[in-house]
Amino acid sequence: MITPELIASHQLSQEEYARIVALLGREPSYTELGIFSVMWSEHCSYKSSRLHLKKLPTRSELVVQGPGENAGIIDIGGGYAIAFKIESHNHPSFIEPFQGAATGVGGILRDIFTMGARPLAVMDSLRFGPLNDPQMGARNRRIVAGVVAGIAHYGNCFGVPTVGGECIFEPSYNGNPLVNVFALGVFKKDEIFYARASGVGNPVIYVGAKTGRDGIHGASMASAEFSEESSQKRPNVQVGDPFMEKLLLEACLEAMQTGAIVGIQDMGAAGLTCSTCEMGSRGGTGIEIDLKLVPQRATGMTPYEIMLSESQERMLLVVEKGREEEVVRVYKKWGLDAVIIGVVTGDGMLRVRDHGEVVAEIPNRALADEAPLYDRPHTTPRRDAPMEAPEFHSQDLAADLAALLSSPDLCAKNWIWEQYDHMVRTNTIQVPGGDAAIVRVKETGSSVAMALDGNGRYASLSPREGARLAVAECCRNLSVVGALPVAATNCLNFGNPERPEIMAQLVEAIEGMAEACRHFETPITGGNVSLYNETLGDPVFPTPVLGIVGLLKTGAPVTIDFKQPNQIVILLGGLGDCDETRFGGTEYAKVALNGLWGLPPALDMDYEKRVQAAMREIVEQGLAESAHDLSDGGLAVALAESSFGPAGIGAELSFQSDLRPEFLLFHEGPSRILISTGWPGEVCRIAAEHGVEALKAGFTVAGKITVLNRWETLIDCEVQPLRESWAGALEASLRG
Amino acid sequence: MKFGVVVFPGSNCDHDAWYAVSHILGQPAELLWHDSASVGDCDAVILPGGFAYGDYLRCGAIAKFSPVMGAVKEFARQGGLVLGICNGFQILVESGLLPGALIRNRGLKFICRPVKLRTETTDSPFSSAAAKGQVLTMPIAHGEGCYYADDRTLDQLEAEDRVVFRYVDNPNGSMRDIAGILNEGRNVLGMMPHPERASEPLMGSSDGLLVLQSMAAALTGSRA
C-alpha cells in the first residue's frame, strides 16, 4: 500500500507521484516506487539543472562524444581518443570520509573503462572546512585525513596515478565537504563502447562483485540536505574494493577484444535500476531480467533491495547472442562472476521478475527520459558578503607574504599528493605541484595536460564571473605548460535549488561557464551536478569546478621553478589592474584581513585568450625556462612559488606602478604569467605579435626574493625560511 | 635473452616493468600469468609492484601460494635471476626467498616520491653497472616498505655483503636504512624502490636502468 508518508520518504512530491501513476496507468508497486525514486532523484535525473545545462556548448571538431554517455570523448589524433569526466562524491564523503572518497574514485574509473578506455590519470578537487575552526576543526581534520587516505587506498591499489588537483579550506564547507574526482582514460578511436542495449534477444550479463545491501538509496541521499541525523545514513555509503575493480578493468578490456560485447554500462548510482533502464532507453529497446539470477552476497534480499543496491564494482553487458561463452570465459579467467540475468526485448519495457513473477514493469523511457523537468524559480543570487571594502593598510608586506604562503590554501600540498601513487604506469611527465599535470600517451607520442580549477570565493561574490574566471584559469594552467585547451568537464556544487537565491547562483554560474567555454573553445563533454550541499540550512559557496584537458607533444615539461641566476623575469600579460572592490575575493583579503567583499577580479576574455596563445608559442619555441600562472595570492605568491625549486633561485623584480603595494603584490587579476627566460627579446616579440604586454620585471638571483616599486623596497627576504614554512604548514595544521 | 614479468591478479606495475625492459633496455620480455606452473624459456624473472591478490591478509601472503611462485622458487634454486620490485620484494620475503619482513611505514602513510639510494655493493648481477657508493635516484611508492629483521639476520646480511641499496634519507623506518637485499646465492634481489619508473629522462631519472643493464650484462656473460 503506497501511503503519502511512503512517497515522502522516497523524496518524491505528490505531483511526481501523480505523474508516475499517469505514466503507468496504475499505482506502482513498492519496488516500482523505489525504482522511480532513484531514477527521478536529482542525482540521476538532473531535474533542476537540465533546462540550464542545455545552454553549455558541447561540440567541436574534436568531440567524438558529448554529454549523455558515461564520459565525454575527444579525438587526440594518431587513431586514439581520450575519455574523461568529473564527478562529485560529496555527501558520502561527509558521512564516511574514507569509503565515501574511495568509492568516488571507483565510480568515476568505471565510467571511463566501461567505454573501453584504460584509465590514465585521476585528479581530485577537494573543499573542506577550516582545520583550525574552534568547533569543527577536529572533525575537519579527520575528514581531510579520511578523504585523502580513501583516494590513496583506491587509486594506488587499482593502479591509476593520481596526478594533481586542488584543496581549499573555507567555513562554508564545514558541514559539507566537496570531493570531486576527475578521471581520464585512453583508447583506440575505433574501439569505443557505448551503454546501449541493442539486438532483441541478446543476453544481458551481470559481471563483477556480488550484490549486497550497501548503498541502498545512495542517489536519493545525495539529493537531500543534511540534518543532525545524517550519521544514521552511514549504511547508505557503499564500501569499495579496489582489487575487485582492477580485476574488473582487466577483464572488461580483455572481453571487449572478443568483439562479442554489444553494449556495456557500469552500475553506479541507482545500481541495477539505472544500468538496465538507461541501456534500454539509449538503445530504444527493453530489458527483462530475473533477480533470482543476480549474484548476491546477502541472503533474503528483496527485489526492492536488489534493484536499489549500490554495491560497487559491478557491470552490465549486452552480448551478441550465441557468443556468451567467449565473454564469460574471460571473466572466469580473472576470477569474476559473469551470469546471464536477462535478455534484450523489443517492447521498450524494463521488466523485472523475481523467480518468474513480475515485480516491476515500467517503460524505460518513463524512467530515463520522462523524468520531471523543473524550471525552478530563480531570483538574485544569494550573497552574504558586503560590497564595500574595509579600511586596511599593511604593516609588513613580507610578513603578509609569509602568512599567505603558510596558509592552508596556498601552502605546499605534498602531504596530500605524496600519499597518492602519482607515477604508476610510467606516463606522468608533470607530477602534482605544477600548474597542470601532464601524462603521456605512449602509443601516440603525444601528451595530455589536465587541470582542475574552481574558486568558491569568487563565485560567492558573482557566480557568473566566478565561473568565467574558473574556465579562464584552467585554460591558462594548460597554456602555461604549452598545451592547447580542447575540451572540458564540469562539476557544479551548489546548495538547495528549491531556494530561488540558490537556483539563481546555479543558473548564473552555468551561463557564465557557457560564455567562457565558447570563448576559449573548450566544449563541455559531460560532468555532474551536485545540489543540496547544505547542512542545517547553511549552503556551501557556489562552487563550479572545471576540469579541462589540453594536448601537446611529448617532451620535457616547462616547470614553475627558476633554474639558474641571471635569467630575465618577464610578467607576460603585465601587472594588470585592481581596485578596492575587485580585491575582496583575494587570498590576501582572506588570510591577512579575514574578509570577503566586493567582486571577483575583472576578466577580459579576449586579452586572456591572447596571453594564452602567446604563452603557448613561447613554450613551443623553447623560450621559457620556467613559467607559472598568477592566481591565488597574486604576483608575490607566484614569485615565491617559482623560487621554491631545488636550486633555491629567487628573483629581484622592480616596477614603476601606481598600484598601492597590497594590490601590486597580491591582487589576483587574471591573464598574467611569470616567466624566466634567457631570450627576453624573443619572448617580447611573440607577446607583441599577440598584442599583449610583456613586462621585463627583473632577473633571477640565488636565494633572495626582492620586489621594489619606484625604488621603494616592498619585500626583501630569503627564500629558504619562506620555503620551510610553506612546505611544512599543512602537516602542522593537520596536527591541530 | 628473455625477461619474464609475472602478472598476479592485482599487479599494477607489470606493464611498466615489461615496457622498461622491452622498450628502453631493448630486450625481449613476456608476461607470465600467475597460474602457470613454469617460467618457460625466460632467463630472468621480474616480480612487479602492485597489490597481488589485493594484498589481503598481508602483502604477498596469498601470492606466495600461486602456482607460478613454485616455478619461480625452482628457477631461483637453479641460479636464475629474480628481481622483486616493491610488492615483488614483499612476495619474495613471504615466500622465504629472502629473509626478514616488510611492515607498515614509520608514519603509517603511503609514500610516493623520489628517494636517493646508495649503492652498497657492485658484486651482484643487479648492480654491476653502478659504481660502489654511487647515489641513485628512484621513486618509492608503498605503504608497507619498512624492512625489518632481527639483529643476527641484519649482521649476516652485512657480513655477507648482501645489502645492495641503502636509503640516504630513510623514508619509511627500514632497519639499517635497507632498501634492497640479495639472497645467499646473490641471484635474487628484492628492493622497495622502483627502477622501472626511473628508466628514462622524461620520468625524472634514468638511474633505475642501471639495475636492468646489470641484469642484461650478467645474462650475456653467463651465455658467453
Side-chain angles (χ1 to χ4, degrees):
Chain A
M1 178 63 198
I2 308 291
T3 63
E5 292 74 35
L6 193 60
I7 294 164
S9 75
H10 280 79
Q11 280 156 22
L12 288 164
S13 68
Q14 284 300 326
E15 296 74 43
E16 286 169 347
Y17 182 72
R19 193 183 166 98
I20 293 171
V21 173
L23 279 167
L24 289 178
R26 60 178 167 79
E27 298 249 307
S29 68
Y30 180 56
T31 302
E32 288 170 334
L33 183 72
I35 289 172
F36 271 106
S37 81
V38 290
M39 285 309 294
W40 286 12
S41 69
E42 190 67 56
H43 186 81
C44 290
S45 75
Y46 297 90
K47 57 191 170 191
S48 302
S49 57
R50 237 158 64 218
L51 194 65
H52 301 284
L53 293 174
K54 286 185 191 147
K55 298 169 187 168
L56 293 167
T58 58
R59 293 204 185 108
S60 78
E61 277 181 11
L62 297 183
V63 175
V64 176
Q65 174 66 51
E69 267 284 344
N70 284 302
I73 300 175
I74 293 291
D75 188 344
I76 60 166
Y80 280 78
I82 51 172
F84 64 98
K85 190 179 168 185
I86 189 168
E87 209 164 73
S88 65
H89 234 217
N90 304 338
H91 292 78
S93 301
F94 177 54
I95 296 175
E96 213 298 279
F98 183 93
Q99 288 297 344
T103 54
V105 176
I108 193 70
L109 287 172
R110 280 194 300 284
D111 281 337
I112 301 304
F113 72 78
T114 193
M115 306 198 79
R118 180 176 282 280
L120 205 57
V122 162
M123 296 199 292
D124 309 281
S125 174
L126 309 176
R127 301 287 185 288
F128 303 106
L131 299 173
N132 59 357
D133 188 285
Q135 275 91 48
M136 311 291 224
R139 187 174 71 176
N140 290 337
R141 293 194 291 272
R142 272 203 308 279
I143 293 176
V144 173
V147 164
V148 171
I151 291 168
H153 165 70
Y154 210 99
N156 296 356
C157 179
F158 178 82
V160 65
T162 302
V163 297
E166 45 169 17
C167 180
I168 301 289
F169 302 85
E170 280 284 349
S172 91
Y173 307 112
N174 257 328
N176 257 103
L178 303 184
V179 175
N180 294 179
V181 189
F182 166 99
L184 181 147
V186 66
F187 45 6
K188 285 193 184 133
K189 206 182 141 187
D190 56 4
E191 292 183 359
I192 299 172
F193 283 79
Y194 292 101
R196 289 170 199 159
S198 52
V200 173
N202 278 339
V204 174
I205 300 184
Y206 171 116
V207 302
K210 295 184 191 338
T211 297
R213 287 198 173 89
D214 47 333
I216 292 174
H217 270 305
S220 322
M221 172 190 74
S223 307
E225 295 169 41
F226 280 141
S227 65
E228 275 141 355
E229 287 81 44
S230 292
S231 62
Q232 293 170 6
K233 299 199 171 178
R234 197 161 293 137
N236 292 14
V237 179
Q238 316 84 331
V239 177
D241 179 353
F243 171 59
M244 177 67 86
E245 180 115 324
K246 167 70 173 169
L247 302 182
L248 193 58
L249 161 76
E250 299 298 343
C252 285
L253 295 189
E254 198 174 319
M256 285 166 176
Q257 293 298 320
T258 64
I261 294 180
V262 175
I264 173 167
Q265 173 152 0
D266 76 301
M267 294 188 223
L272 196 49
T273 293
C274 189
S275 51
T276 47
C277 72
E278 283 194 359
M279 284 185 84
S281 173
R282 289 202 193 97
T285 55
I287 285 186
E288 181 171 324
I289 58 173
D290 195 324
L291 298 180
K292 81 172 176 212
L293 303 168
V294 172
Q296 294 162 43
R297 66 162 172 257
T299 52
M301 289 183 73
T302 65
Y304 180 98
E305 289 172 325
I306 296 170
M307 288 303 289
L308 269 59
S309 163
E310 290 189 9
S311 290
Q312 300 287 291
E313 294 95 22
R314 304 178 298 161
M315 291 267 189
L316 201 66
L317 318 179
V318 172
V319 170
E320 211 176 292
K321 192 174 167 57
R323 299 185 64 184
E324 300 85 345
E325 202 37 51
E326 291 172 60
V327 171
V328 169
R329 197 184 309 132
V330 173
Y331 286 92
K332 290 270 185 289
K333 172 187 161 191
W334 288 94
L336 297 174
D337 277 326
V339 182
I340 298 171
I341 62 165
V343 65
V344 178
T345 66
D347 63 5
M349 302 292 279
L350 168 63
R351 191 171 297 106
V352 182
R353 292 178 187 274
D354 186 28
H355 294 81
E357 182 198 342
V358 174
V359 293
E361 192 168 26
I362 309 172
N364 277 323
R365 295 192 58 83
L367 288 166
D369 305 327
E370 302 286 327
L373 176 63
Y374 294 126
D375 185 2
R376 296 204 187 272
H378 45 99
T379 50
T380 317
R382 172 187 168 127
R383 82 171 267 151
D384 302 319
M387 217 48 172
E388 200 86 342
E391 282 282 318
F392 61 93
H393 268 284
S394 172
Q395 303 300 310
D396 183 343
L397 292 162
D400 292 343
L401 174 60
L404 280 165
L405 289 168
S406 58
S407 72
D409 286 0
L410 298 180
C411 68
K413 298 297 196 307
N414 300 54
W415 184 89
I416 295 175
W417 56 258
E418 286 184 358
Q419 294 187 53
Y420 304 149
D421 188 340
H422 50 267
M423 303 170 180
V424 63
R425 299 204 69 75
T426 59
N427 293 320
T428 312
I429 289 176
Q430 172 61 59
V431 302
D435 281 331
I438 306 175
V439 176
R440 71 172 166 184
V441 178
K442 288 189 181 110
E443 294 84 349
T444 61
S446 61
S447 291
V448 180
M450 56 200 99
L452 299 183
D453 279 293
N455 189 315
R457 276 169 74 78
Y458 292 174
S460 78
L461 299 174
S462 165
R464 187 180 301 272
E465 293 186 34
R468 287 180 3 178
L469 283 159
V471 176
E473 186 185 343
C474 213
C475 290
R476 195 183 326 125
N477 281 327
L478 298 175
S479 297
V480 166
V481 299
L484 176 69
V486 292
T489 176
N490 64 355
C491 199
L492 302 167
N493 307 276
F494 289 78
N496 181 346
E498 294 162 42
R499 299 206 279 162
E501 70 278 16
I502 301 288
M503 191 63 208
Q505 291 178 335
L506 177 63
V507 172
E508 295 215 354
I510 291 173
E511 289 175 358
M513 189 178 288
E515 189 193 349
C517 283
R518 270 198 189 90
H519 192 85
F520 294 103
E521 299 166 70
T522 51
I524 300 273
T525 60
N528 172 235
V529 181
S530 173
L531 303 176
Y532 298 95
N533 289 291
E534 298 195 7
T535 294
L536 300 173
D538 277 334
V540 295
F541 276 168
T543 313
V545 172
L546 266 296
I548 304 189
V549 298
L551 305 179
L552 70 163
K553 282 199 208 107
T554 297
V558 174
T559 53
I560 66 179
D561 55 308
F562 299 137
K563 307 295 185 296
Q564 54 179 329
N566 298 316
Q567 296 298 93
I568 301 300
V569 176
I570 289 177
L571 187 50
L572 183 69
L575 259 181
D577 207 359
C578 188
D579 59 27
E580 268 76 11
T581 307
R582 295 286 184 182
F583 196 64
T586 60
E587 284 288 327
Y588 185 90
K590 176 175 172 178
V591 175
L593 306 170
N594 192 26
L596 173 66
W597 70 85
L599 291 169
L603 169 66
D604 176 341
M605 293 204 293
D606 281 323
Y607 190 69
E608 174 77 50
K609 200 170 176 180
R610 280 183 277 133
V611 168
Q612 293 187 16
M615 184 68 227
R616 289 193 300 269
E617 195 175 329
I618 290 163
V619 173
E620 195 178 342
Q621 298 200 11
L623 302 173
E625 197 166 273
S626 74
H628 186 20
D629 96 301
L630 270 59
S631 59
D632 298 356
L635 171 65
V637 167
L639 171 60
E641 288 170 344
S642 301
S643 309
F644 291 161
I649 305 294
E652 186 176 319
L653 308 186
S654 179
F655 300 97
Q656 302 288 330
S657 167
D658 293 331
L659 287 172
R660 59 182 282 191
E662 293 91 340
F663 292 178
L664 189 149
L665 292 171
F666 300 111
H667 90 79
E668 296 179 3
S671 320
R672 300 183 299 160
I673 299 164
L674 197 64
I675 300 171
S676 69
T677 178
W679 299 273
E682 285 299 287
V683 170
C684 292
R685 181 187 55 77
I686 292 170
E689 280 169 14
H690 289 270
V692 301
E693 200 183 339
L695 185 60
K696 276 189 224 164
F699 51 91
T700 55
V701 294
K704 296 264 289 176
I705 294 174
T706 310
V707 183
L708 304 115
N709 189 32
R710 298 195 190 284
W711 300 287
E712 183 198 341
T713 303
L714 303 183
I715 285 180
D716 183 25
C717 55
E718 302 282 329
V719 168
Q720 200 47 32
L722 268 188
R723 189 186 194 289
E724 276 165 24
S725 65
W726 168 81
L730 187 60
E731 198 170 350
S733 315
L734 279 162
R735 254 186 254 122
Chain B
M1 80 186 66
K2 184 151 98 186
F3 284 68
V5 179
V6 175
V7 182
F8 298 102
S11 293
N12 61 28
C13 302
D14 44 350
H15 185 267
D16 301 353
W18 172 86
Y19 182 83
V21 171
S22 60
H23 284 66
I24 302 170
L25 182 67
Q27 296 294 342
E30 71 171 40
L31 298 171
L32 297 170
W33 189 236
H34 67 109
D35 67 1
S36 56
S38 115
V39 299
D41 57 351
C42 290
D43 303 295
V45 171
I46 297 177
L47 304 183
F51 292 70
Y53 301 92
D55 272 351
Y56 289 126
L57 199 60
R58 202 170 59 238
C59 301
I62 303 175
K64 76 174 166 189
F65 294 113
S66 66
V68 76
M69 281 311 295
V72 169
K73 275 186 185 169
E74 179 54 27
F75 179 69
R77 201 186 57 78
Q78 292 175 5
L81 294 190
V82 178
L83 169 64
I85 303 166
C86 197
N87 194 226
F89 186 10
Q90 293 164 340
I91 293 167
L92 288 174
V93 164
E94 282 289 335
S95 307
L97 282 165
L98 292 172
L102 291 150
I103 60 174
R104 282 292 287 281
N105 294 345
R106 173 184 64 199
L108 307 180
K109 281 197 290 292
F110 191 97
I111 308 169
C112 177
R113 65 162 178 257
V115 296
K116 288 191 164 31
L117 304 174
R118 199 171 51 245
T119 311
E120 298 289 50
T121 179
T122 54
D123 177 19
S124 89
F126 305 95
S127 59
S128 60
K132 189 171 162 76
Q134 187 177 353
V135 174
L136 309 178
T137 300
M138 292 181 217
I140 55 165
H142 58 246
E144 289 160 60
C146 173
Y147 184 74
Y148 185 90
D150 58 27
D151 282 335
R152 227 188 63 195
T153 306
L154 294 168
D155 290 344
Q156 191 184 353
L157 284 171
E158 288 176 348
E160 294 171 2
D161 193 27
R162 286 162 56 190
V163 177
V164 180
F165 298 116
R166 271 188 227 271
Y167 300 109
V168 174
D169 292 306
N170 193 335
N172 54 21
S174 289
M175 299 186 85
R176 302 193 192 176
D177 304 326
I178 285 174
I181 54 167
L182 293 167
N183 67 342
E184 242 171 295
R186 309 185 85 77
N187 60 319
V188 177
L189 170 71
M191 62 188 292
M192 288 312 294
H194 286 269
E196 83 284 12
R197 293 188 187 187
S199 52
E200 52 185 321
L202 262 185
M203 298 290 103
S205 167
S206 310
D207 290 352
L209 200 53
L210 289 173
V211 174
L212 300 178
Q213 284 166 340
S214 300
M215 291 173 75
L219 292 175
T220 308
S222 69
R223 286 254 172 107

